[in-house]
Amino acid sequence: MTRPPARPSTSIDLFTDAALNDPYPLHATLRQLGPAVQLEQLGEVWAISRYADVKTTLADPDRFSSARVALNDTANDTILAGTVLASDGTDHARLRRVLSRQLARRALTDLHEVIRQHADRLVAKVVQWGRFDAVSDLAIPFVGHIITHLTGLPARDRDQLVALAEGTFSAFGPDTPRTQAAFPLAQAMFGYLTTSATRENVRPGSWLAEVYAAADRGEIAESECIPLASAYTVAGADTTIHAITTLLGLLARHPRQWQSLHRRAHDTAFLDAAVREALRYDAPVQWFCRTVTQDTSISGVPLTAGSQVLLLYGSANRDHDFWGPTADQFRIRRRGTEQHLALGHGPHSCAGTHLAHMEITAVLGALARATPTLRLVPSAPPCRQLNNLLRGWASLPLTTTAR
């Protein structure tokens, strides 16, 4: 008699305060339990934690749909409806084509020097202070300025947009008090876009003006303009802010690696490698969901149509079977970091990858050129920002010494 395939399950809860503070031990346990592990408290939701399985699933939209990328119906049916993030096939390609005109590498060439100069000015100011908060004094002003400038939204709305984007991502979690508390922020974000990101309000020639121009050309429907605008204001803000501050926090804990960067501050390839390693080591986006479209399996574990898979980017990037025995160590000289999954993979890989990398590298290069030291403040330890989906800091006090 043939034994039915194993269907491992666990009572692990990935959304407690303790789990969000340090998810990686739980990820290691999930990788040991199997390629697909049912999370009992979430019903028919299966955690996919191994690198090869996460990458394969992301590349297969026919079996694993992006129509429902959150863990609750409210987010899927209202917040995400009509967005490029929660679309498949021709609809996804059509919406993404509009974004790509601004976000493709070749389209960003003229922005490189503008972003670098902005980073240099801001870094020079905070280094002169000697002590600053990498979140509120550096990353938020830097990324917020770029996002509002490029989208054509008022600069005065910078902090509001950042806060609302953070809440929007947390609203993607399971039905918990943290998720319920995030719903008003997500609704406020789309309320803001509906009233402020209109044809009449956005700056001519801006990225959001181009979204409306695409509607005029018949490439997208008028009703799709606001959901598409959220790709800039939600996906382009807190993810990059957290990536910058995570990188700086790691380097402040590894002074020898900071010294290496300081000595090679003009080496673009070396800076790029450090950025990729930080994204691998502590991904700012920890997961997204996919919905199983047909009865199928992942590495031998059967899955039924209609169930969800929780793709753990953070776990995949620490998988020892792929990254080797040093997977849990931060090493800016690590080889092969371009294979990280922090920004997704396949059709839904992050549309803003090139812009985000440009922003993070600009800040890192400016800081590496400006100061030989980067340290945490012993009397003011970092404070984690607890978010169902994002991973980053609410506060990260650092000290520097001017050259």
Side-chain angles (χ1 to χ4, degrees), residues 244-265:
I244 290 171
T245 54
T246 293
L247 170 61
L248 298 184
L250 288 168
L251 289 167
R253 287 183 169 85
H254 295 82
R256 290 185 179 179
Q257 298 194 58
W258 177 256
Q259 286 296 318
S260 295
L261 278 168
H262 178 64
R263 290 191 297 269
R264 299 177 61 177

Side-chain angles (χ1 to χ4, degrees), residues 44-46 68 70-71 76 289-292 306-310:
E44 282 294 312
V45 176
W46 296 75
R68 306 184 74 77
L71 282 169
N76 284 318
C289 285
R290 296 291 187 269
T291 300
V292 181
S307 58
Q308 279 187 300
V309 290
L310 182 69

Side-chain angles (χ1 to χ4, degrees), residues 45-165:
V45 176
W46 296 75
I48 313 301
S49 55
R50 298 175 182 177
Y51 180 93
D53 296 315
V54 171
K55 187 173 184 178
T56 298
T57 303
L58 287 169
D60 192 349
D62 292 334
R63 286 194 301 154
F64 303 100
S65 167
S66 294
R68 306 184 74 77
V69 297
L71 282 169
N72 67 82
D73 291 339
T74 300
N76 284 318
D77 295 337
T78 59
I79 298 170
L80 287 159
T83 65
V84 68
L85 184 63
S87 58
D88 285 313
T90 56
D91 282 340
H92 177 258
R94 178 173 52 81
L95 294 170
R96 181 151 176 151
R97 195 175 299 119
V98 177
L99 297 179
S100 295
R101 292 199 185 98
Q102 284 76 42
L103 292 171
R105 187 192 298 273
R106 63 184 180 278
L108 296 171
T109 302
D110 293 341
L111 283 176
H112 185 273
E113 185 61 20
V114 174
I115 290 174
R116 188 192 66 79
Q117 291 179 6
H118 180 50
D120 285 345
R121 288 192 297 269
L122 192 52
V123 164
K125 180 173 69 172
V126 299
V127 168
Q128 189 176 30
W129 295 344
R131 171 174 168 171
F132 64 96
D133 191 301
V135 180
S136 60
D137 295 328
L138 182 58
I140 288 178
F142 177 70
V143 176
H145 170 81
I146 292 170
I147 290 297
T148 54
H149 174 71
L150 293 178
T151 57
L153 293 169
R156 64 178 181 272
D157 295 342
R158 179 197 74 193
D159 292 349
Q160 177 188 8
L161 283 172
V162 169
L164 295 180

